[in-house]
């Protein structure tokens, strides 16, 4: 079973993403900020990260930078999740080390297919 | 040279040999002289004034008798007299006609000591004298000074206005930036809760956590539909503000127009099928265009979804593209409710929605055509509509030729072909 770490500071959104992915058989680890994401990443083996870009303590950019420095996560898919849809955000995220960029509101079917594509 | 007679010097006949002057000629000459508006002097080569007219008396404030026999320098300001004497000497050696308005700014001196600007013409006479015609240019100088002062004033005012404009421009730029930042954050704040509303509604509709009864299903469907409509509105507003603040960037590429149009039609086909609307495509398959592919599809998406929206069941939608001399022409025609003549221009305005005739039609954002028009114009094209109420509407837009085709057109008649 693939394990996915989801970092999202808004509880409703965290529950939504977790439920959407759990419902199709993923094991999910939910955390509420970037610091916690890094801690959980070192304790578990993670197959994919789904990180909200705006989070307290350490944002998604901070997390991806730290993760990419660790050899075991150098090639792990890391997906950015954001409600921002301004010009250049996607480019900035991809340049920072994210593998994919998904905007909120997410289409739950699209989210599942994108996660499946990235973990297979 | 000083002591010799100038006439002897030049080998000319002595004065006594000059032709006799008859009285008639003399009077005519005198009338002419006295009628001249400028001061006229005849001066010996040593500077002695031998003749002057009434204008000279008036201009300089001397009586004629006071000046006759005087040295001409009496009419020159003291500070310039020495220089004038030297110049006069030079002139005597090289006597040439010097017309008015040539040379330096000159000044003359009145009897009362007042100075005034003059223009002087000099002409040598046959008897080695010099005729000087003097024009008082005080008025002209004053006018020039006034013009210069006005010019300086205008320049100063213009500079001040420019400065104010620059300040205002900076303020506008700043306001624009703030507006963009506000929009970015507003958009983010609106989309964040919408994300969970749409997501949970979709989850509920999937019934993975248990079946819904028919009422619950319908309620959830309402939430899904209206939350997506709200999202559409937010996206359109964001798009339009990006366009208006010039922040929407186009990424042009070459592609086959028919392919992109076909993809857009495919996406909307389910809606058309629902209403049993026939969609006809009359597309030139070989037509390549240079445009932002995503935005090009957005233009067609807006036009076709409008056509589907406003066409009754079992109607017909025709989509065409073809190349003309003026560019590439696209058309989306429907057999829908049509648009009144008075509304045909307004439909391209922001938030304009068709009036009472459209009751029962699925609501839109009122921004689609405004965005479409902007997108067409950003591509260098234009859009227009022809419509007959009750019969249907025909939206057409023109895009410029793709660059390669445009540059290929003038190459003719065996011109160099790389």
């Amino acid at each position: 079973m693939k394990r996915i770490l989801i970092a999202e500071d808004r509880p409703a959104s965290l529950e939504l993403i977790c439920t959407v992915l759990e419902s199709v058989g993923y094991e999910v680890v939910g955390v509420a900020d970037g610091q916690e994401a890094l801690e959980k990443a070192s304790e578990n083996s993670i197959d994919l990260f789904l990180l909200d870009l705006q989070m307290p303590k350490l944002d998604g950019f901070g997390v991806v930078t730290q993760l990419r420095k660790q050899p075991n996560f150098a090639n792990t898919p890391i997906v950015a999740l954001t409600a921002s849809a301004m010009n250049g955000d996607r480019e900035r995220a991809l340049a920072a080390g994210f593998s994919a960029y998904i905007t909120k509101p997410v289409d739950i079917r699209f989210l599942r297919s994108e996660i499946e594509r990235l973990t297979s | 040279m000083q002591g010799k007679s100038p006439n002897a010097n030049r080998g000319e006949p002595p004065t006594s040999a000059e032709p006799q002057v008859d009285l008639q000629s003399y009077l005519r000459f005198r009338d002419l002289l006295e009628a001249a508006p400028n001061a006229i002097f005849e001066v010996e080569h040593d500077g002695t004034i031998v003749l002057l007219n009434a204008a000279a008396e008036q201009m300089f404030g001397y009586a004629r008798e006071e000046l006759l026999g005087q040295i001409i320098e009496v009419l020159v300001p003291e500070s310039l007299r020495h220089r004038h004497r030297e110049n006069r000497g030079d002139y005597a050696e090289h006597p040439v006609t010097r017309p008015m308005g040539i040379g330096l700014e000159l000044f003359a001196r009145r009897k009362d000591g007042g100075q005034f600007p003059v223009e002087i013409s000099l002409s040598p006479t046959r008897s080695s004298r010099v005729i000087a015609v003097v024009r008082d240019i005080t008025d002209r100088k004053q006018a020039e000074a006034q013009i210069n002062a006005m010019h300086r004033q205008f320049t100063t005012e213009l500079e001040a206005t420019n400065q104010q404009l620059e300040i205002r421009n900076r303020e506008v730029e700043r306001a624009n930036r703030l507006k963009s930042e506000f929009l970015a954050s507003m958009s983010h704040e609106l989309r964040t809760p919408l994300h969970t509303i749409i997501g949970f509604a979709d989850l509920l509709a999937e019934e993975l956590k248990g079946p819904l009864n028919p009422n619950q299903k319908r309620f959830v469907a309402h939430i899904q539909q209206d939350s997506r409509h709200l999202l559409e509105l937010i996206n359109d507003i964001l798009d339009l503000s990006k366009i208006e603040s010039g922040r929407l960037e186009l990424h042009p590429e070459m592609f086959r127009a028919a392919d992109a149009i076909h993809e857009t039609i495919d996406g909307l086909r389910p809606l058309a099928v629902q209403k049993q609307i026939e969609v006809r495509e009359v597309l030139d398959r070989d037509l390549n265009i240079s445009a932002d592919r995503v935005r090009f599809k957005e233009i067609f998406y807006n036009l076709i979804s409008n056509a589907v929206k406003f066409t009754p069941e079992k109607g017909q939608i025709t989509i065409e593209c073809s190349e003309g001399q003026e560019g590439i022409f696209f058309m989306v025609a429907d057999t829908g409710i049509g648009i009144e003549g008075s509304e045909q221009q307004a439909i391209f305005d922001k938030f304009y929605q068709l009036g009472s005739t459209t009751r029962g039609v699925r609501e839109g954002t009122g921004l689609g055509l405004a965005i479409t028009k902007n997108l067409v114009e950003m591509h260098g094209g234009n859009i227009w509509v022809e419509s007959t109420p009750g019969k249907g509407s025909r939206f057409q837009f023109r895009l410029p030729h793709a660059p390669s085709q445009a540059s290929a057109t003038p190459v003719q008649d065996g011109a160099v072909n790389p």
Side-chain angles (χ1 to χ4, degrees):
Chain A
M1 197 192 288
K2 295 276 166 69
R3 187 180 291 135
I4 298 173
L5 187 143
I6 301 160
E8 160 70 87
D9 62 315
R10 294 187 80 246
S13 181
L14 183 61
E15 185 182 351
L16 175 68
I17 308 290
C18 287
T19 311
V20 166
L21 295 180
E22 267 172 345
S23 68
V24 287
Y26 293 103
E27 185 186 334
V28 297
V29 180
V31 298
D33 64 67
Q35 201 59 56
E36 214 181 326
L38 287 180
E39 285 161 22
K40 283 279 193 287
S42 57
E43 294 164 16
N44 301 275
S45 82
I46 304 291
D47 296 300
L48 182 142
F49 291 86
L50 193 56
L51 307 175
D52 189 28
L53 285 184
Q54 287 195 348
M55 286 188 292
K57 290 183 191 169
L58 187 65
D59 68 7
F61 287 106
V63 178
V64 80
T65 308
Q66 293 295 319
L67 288 176
R68 289 299 183 212
K69 284 182 190 162
Q70 301 174 29
N72 46 334
F73 294 124
N75 297 310
T76 308
I78 306 177
V79 181
L81 189 63
T82 176
S84 164
M86 295 306 280
N87 286 341
D89 286 350
R90 177 185 297 272
E91 288 71 17
R92 214 155 51 89
L94 297 183
F98 282 103
S99 329
Y101 179 92
I102 296 177
T103 52
K104 297 178 188 175
V106 295
D107 180 303
I108 63 177
R109 273 159 305 206
F110 174 74
L111 177 63
R112 286 181 188 131
S113 70
E114 195 64 358
I115 299 302
E116 193 190 332
R117 180 180 71 84
L118 289 163
T119 51
S120 58
Chain B
M1 201 162 96
Q2 196 94 51
K4 291 181 193 166
S5 148
N7 292 349
N9 219 12
R10 285 164 189 244
E12 283 178 10
T15 315
S16 56
E18 278 180 12
Q20 286 294 307
V21 178
D22 70 67
L23 187 61
Q24 282 300 323
S25 299
Y26 170 73
L27 288 175
R28 273 182 73 194
F29 154 75
R30 207 191 60 184
D31 287 346
L32 206 60
L33 183 73
E34 297 304 323
N38 292 329
I40 299 175
F41 296 93
E42 191 180 11
V43 181
E44 290 281 6
H45 89 286
D46 66 358
T48 310
I49 300 169
V50 294
L51 181 82
L52 65 143
N53 65 351
E57 289 180 287
Q58 207 176 4
M59 190 180 291
F60 288 88
Y62 287 97
R64 201 171 299 220
E65 311 79 62
E66 290 178 285
L67 283 176
L68 285 171
Q70 290 285 334
I71 297 296
I72 189 78
E73 272 77 29
V74 75
L75 302 176
V76 175
E78 285 93 338
S79 58
L80 303 173
R81 278 181 190 165
H82 178 68
R83 180 75 180 278
H84 190 268
R85 212 168 288 128
E86 283 177 2
N87 289 346
R88 189 155 51 76
D90 291 345
Y91 189 84
E93 281 181 38
H94 308 284
V96 284
T97 301
R98 198 183 74 183
M100 284 267 179
I102 294 224
L104 304 165
E105 303 253 298
L106 301 169
F107 281 92
R109 180 184 186 277
R110 268 189 298 270
K111 187 183 178 185
D112 62 13
Q115 294 185 14
F116 58 102
V118 289
E119 258 176 7
I120 299 174
S121 78
L122 298 176
S123 320
T125 65
R126 278 178 298 120
S127 51
S128 281
R129 292 172 182 156
V130 177
I131 301 280
V133 180
V134 183
R135 181 189 292 161
D136 182 347
I137 55 170
T138 306
D139 289 350
R140 202 181 77 198
K141 285 285 165 191
Q142 271 172 359
E144 275 174 15
Q146 251 170 7
I147 288 170
N148 283 339
M150 275 162 76
H151 182 80
R152 270 195 304 275
Q153 194 191 338
F154 283 141
T155 309
T156 314
E157 281 171 12
L158 198 65
E159 273 168 11
T161 312
N162 277 346
Q163 225 164 14
Q164 279 174 348
L165 264 179
E166 208 173 299
I167 291 170
R168 206 165 305 162
N169 269 350
R170 273 202 295 268
E171 281 168 4
V172 168
E173 263 169 40
R174 184 170 161 274
N176 221 347
R177 202 179 56 244
L178 286 178
K179 180 184 152 196
S180 278
E181 284 165 10
F182 171 76
L183 272 162
S185 84
M186 257 329 263
S187 159
H188 183 272
E189 295 312 307
L190 291 171
R191 292 160 75 94
T192 299
L194 205 49
H195 157 70
T196 39
I197 296 171
I198 291 176
F200 279 116
D202 287 355
L203 259 181
L204 274 176
E206 284 185 340
E207 300 181 274
L208 294 174
K209 302 290 177 183
L212 302 178
N213 67 36
N215 273 336
Q216 289 169 332
K217 270 192 194 170
R218 208 174 56 250
F219 297 166
V220 170
H222 288 322
I223 300 175
Q224 285 179 298
Q225 197 182 324
D226 274 359
S227 55
R228 286 212 154 74
H229 180 231
L230 186 56
L231 176 62
E232 218 173 285
L233 254 175
I234 294 167
N235 287 344
D236 278 0
I237 290 173
L238 188 67
D239 255 8
L240 201 60
S241 346
K242 277 189 206 162
I243 290 171
E244 286 183 348
S245 60
R247 275 162 210 271
L248 187 88
E249 289 167 30
L250 294 182
H251 302 285
E253 54 181 307
M254 283 288 283
F255 58 90
R256 208 153 43 170
D259 290 348
I261 296 170
H262 195 75
E263 284 167 29
T264 314
I265 295 171
D266 270 355
L268 288 161
R269 207 177 289 281
L271 285 175
V273 169
Q274 250 176 32
K275 293 176 79 175
Q276 299 176 57
I277 293 170
E278 185 199 346
V279 180
R280 290 176 56 226
E281 297 172 41
V282 187
L283 307 175
D284 179 346
R285 307 285 317 166
D286 300 321
L287 210 50
N288 284 315
I289 60 167
S290 169
D292 184 314
R293 201 175 197 280
V294 174
R295 298 301 177 180
F296 178 76
K297 285 176 72 176
E298 192 179 334
I299 293 169
F300 265 97
Y301 181 91
N302 288 339
L303 293 179
I304 299 171
S305 61
N306 271 348
V308 173
K309 200 188 296 178
F310 295 110
T311 298
E313 289 197 356
K314 298 184 181 155
Q316 196 181 64
I317 295 172
T318 308
I319 296 150
E320 287 183 17
C321 71
S322 61
E323 189 163 19
Q325 275 203 327
E326 308 281 308
I328 301 167
F329 292 86
F330 303 91
M331 188 197 78
V332 176
D334 61 55
T335 57
I337 57 171
I339 305 154
E340 294 284 349
S342 57
E343 291 190 296
Q344 287 178 12
Q345 211 36 55
I347 51 168
F348 294 106
D349 291 345
K350 272 181 285 186
F351 294 111
Y352 190 86
Q353 286 184 297
L354 288 176
S356 52
T357 49
T358 65
R359 224 174 287 147
V361 169
R362 191 178 69 92
E363 60 195 316
T365 62
L367 293 172
L369 281 178
I371 292 173
T372 302
K373 180 169 187 271
N374 273 299
L375 289 177
V376 169
E377 286 171 0
M378 280 177 77
H379 279 91
N382 54 312
I383 186 167
W384 65 98
V385 64
E386 294 155 13
S387 183
T388 313
K391 290 266 171 73
S393 303
R394 178 188 288 259
F395 283 86
Q396 282 176 279
F397 68 98
R398 181 196 61 84
L399 293 185
H401 291 286
S404 63
Q405 286 171 315
S407 62
T409 316
V411 181
Q412 287 169 345
D413 307 328
V416 182
N417 243 330

